[in-house]
Amino acid sequence: MAEQTASTKKVKFIITRQDSPESAPYAEEFELPYRPGMNVISALMEIQRNPQNAKGEKVAPVCWESNCLEEVCGACSMVINGKPRQACAALVDKLEQPIRVQPMRTFPVVRDLVIDRSRMFNALKRVKAWIPIDGTYDLGPGPRMAEKKRQWAYELSKCMTCGVCLEACPNVNDKSDFIGPAAISQVRLFNAHPTGEMNADERLDALMDDGGIEGCGNSQNCVRSCPKGIPLTTSIAEINKQTTKHLFKKWLSV
Amino acid sequence: MNGYYSRKLHSLLGVIPLGLFFIEHALTNFGAFEGGLARFNAGVKLINDLPLLWLLEWGLIYLPLIYHGVFGLYIAYQAKPNNGRFQYSRNWRYLFQRITGVITFVYIIWHVYETRIQLALGNITHEQLGSTMHDIFVQPGLFILYLIGVVSASFHFANGLWSFFVSWGITVGPRAQRVSSYICMTLFVLVSVMLVLSMIAFRGAEFQEATAWLDTVKSVLS
């Protein structure tokens, strides 16, 4: 009896699919039995179990990526009802139906909802988003970080490289080489660290080049979209300040 | 030139000198509203009496304007607006900044052609600027085109000033940026109203009489 009532209610999905990186995208509809508390990932799992579209045809199951299922890894970012977000945290009960699911097209689409976020990891390498502590001998403990600073820096460290801010940014596209908000915020994080600060100029130099911080157009969609609530626009403005200072220091010291 | 420096230069030139010149221009025009033809002509004369005027014009207006305009068109081209998906006021202003930039670019070419270039060609004199504007503004179609032009220019200037404060790291936090946007949007309204009032003032008979008077002089002389 309980099963019967559960299967009468249906959830409709319209998923943008793509068979290969080069092939054309197409929309496919799916109708799934509603289950209380289901989210977009559990719906995709349901499609995987029974890969049948709304017309009843057997199709290849929809591909997607996910890991943590608790909105901390950033792997399952996709565009759900027009907004980029994590599929694992997108509860069906809170979504308008039909639920439209699309890949984040700012990134190259590998297949269906799977995208290639390599550019974000390359950006982190470019700005040296780490603290070099390796040496040939023990360098000893670094300087202490003030607790007050640690508290806001911790917020910046929540970035999971999910790509939502890049998807929301009108200046991250194929006509521009803008690095995107995430990496700029990481520069602020590592430049705030007492040991990381020792390499602050290298990170600023990396952003003061083509496709660096100059690409920001102040639409501020990033800060409104970040699932971790990271103050991205404050980070960008702070790095604007640091690069401006660095610019004048460089000019006046030669 | 490295993209960072070229973008930074674009941002700087938009405020210094172009933004300052824009304010100066709005004030001179407002003279027409405040004190009529005499006041406006006094303003024009004040500028024309400046030493090294050609250098000031090229160094502080034409060259910065060409750079800011052409590079700005490239920035507008690079944008991929997504206002349908993200209907936030800041995102709208991002779009309007680019649209008004392009409108202002076209408008300034037209406006400079009708005034400064006509002066350079010797078709009009400095004293006839007021009547030239009068002849334009009495035509409703041209008045509306000018209205779109000056409102676009004012928005582009005021909102650009807001972005300038962010881009140079002056307003960093959300509160500072919010307060700065109130100030800049007030400036937008203020400058727009000033310019529109000047446009209405130029429609006045006083400015027409100047041409009528000059025409009489011309007919007498010929």
Side-chain angles (χ1 to χ4, degrees), chain A residues 82-84 167-168 170-171 173 175 208-210 214 217-221 224 234 237 240-241 243-244 247, chain B residues 2-5 7 77-80 82 85-86 88 90-91 94 98 162-163 166-169 172 174 177:
Chain A
K83 288 272 170 21
E167 174 72 17
N171 270 14
N173 58 53
K175 288 180 284 186
M208 293 163 74
D209 209 338
D210 293 322
E214 42 91 12
N218 294 309
S219 81
Q220 301 205 337
N221 288 346
R224 305 287 293 261
T234 308
N240 273 324
K241 185 192 217 163
T243 47
T244 303
L247 173 75
Chain B
N2 166 337
Y4 178 79
Y5 298 104
R7 187 73 171 73
Y77 156 78
Q78 279 191 314
K80 201 175 166 188
N82 50 15
R85 277 162 70 196
F86 302 95
Y88 308 133
R90 268 306 328 158
N91 198 27
Y94 164 91
R98 279 142 188 82
W162 179 88
S163 309
V166 178
S167 301
W168 289 80
V172 175
Q177 292 181 3

Side-chain angles (χ1 to χ4, degrees), chain A residues 154-169:
Chain A
Y154 180 68
E155 296 304 315
L156 306 186
S157 75
K158 286 181 181 172
C159 177
M160 52 191 181
T161 331
C162 71
V164 164
C165 56
L166 274 77
E167 174 72 17
C169 178

Side-chain angles (χ1 to χ4, degrees), chain A residues 84-103:
Chain A
R85 55 186 298 187
Q86 276 70 56
C88 65
L91 298 174
V92 166
D93 287 335
K94 291 185 180 167
L95 292 170
E96 194 186 311
Q97 287 195 39
I99 297 165
R100 288 166 205 276
V101 185
Q102 294 160 321

Side-chain angles (χ1 to χ4, degrees), chain B residues 14-212:
Chain B
V15 176
I16 306 164
L18 296 176
L20 293 173
F21 170 69
F22 181 65
I23 294 285
E24 183 281 315
H25 194 338
L27 285 171
T28 308
N29 290 358
F30 196 66
F33 177 78
E34 209 180 61
L37 181 64
R39 189 83 176 79
F40 175 70
N41 278 347
V44 173
K45 192 173 180 309
L46 187 76
I47 296 161
N48 282 301
D49 285 346
L50 287 172
L52 280 177
L53 190 61
W54 64 272
L55 188 66
L56 296 178
E57 278 189 313
W58 278 98
L60 300 181
I61 307 172
Y62 307 144
L63 293 178
L65 198 58
I66 292 166
Y67 181 86
H68 188 86
V70 174
F71 194 78
L73 287 180
Y74 176 64
I75 294 173
Y77 156 78
Q78 279 191 314
K80 201 175 166 188
N82 50 15
N83 299 74
R85 277 162 70 196
F86 302 95
Q87 305 204 358
Y88 308 133
S89 68
R90 268 306 328 158
N91 198 27
W92 283 114
R93 275 188 265 166
Y94 164 91
L95 178 66
F96 293 151
Q97 184 67 3
R98 279 142 188 82
I99 293 174
T100 55
V102 176
I103 294 174
T104 306
F105 185 85
V106 176
Y107 163 70
I108 288 176
I109 292 173
W110 178 41
H111 178 55
V112 170
Y113 172 77
E114 289 193 308
T115 53
R116 188 62 186 86
I117 291 178
Q118 295 309 313
L119 267 172
L121 294 174
N123 294 338
I124 54 169
T125 65
H126 286 114
E127 290 71 31
Q128 282 173 309
L129 277 172
S131 57
T132 307
M133 295 323 290
H134 173 86
D135 293 344
I136 294 168
F137 291 145
V138 288
Q139 301 174 59
L142 294 182
F143 186 88
I144 289 167
L145 288 181
Y146 254 82
L147 189 73
I148 296 169
V150 300
V151 172
S152 295
S154 306
F155 178 85
H156 190 80
F157 158 71
N159 191 55
L161 189 63
W162 179 88
S163 309
F164 172 88
F165 289 135
V166 178
S167 301
W168 289 80
I170 297 164
T171 50
V172 175
R175 189 191 54 92
Q177 292 181 3
R178 198 171 50 245
V179 171
S180 136
S181 82
Y182 293 145
I183 295 171
C184 291
M185 287 303 112
T186 309
L187 195 62
F188 161 54
V189 175
L190 206 72
V191 180
S192 298
V193 168
M194 268 173 66
L195 286 168
V196 173
L197 286 178
S198 329
M199 283 168 62
I200 295 167
F202 277 119
R203 287 167 63 106
E206 186 187 7
F207 288 92
Q208 187 194 1
E209 272 162 28
T211 31

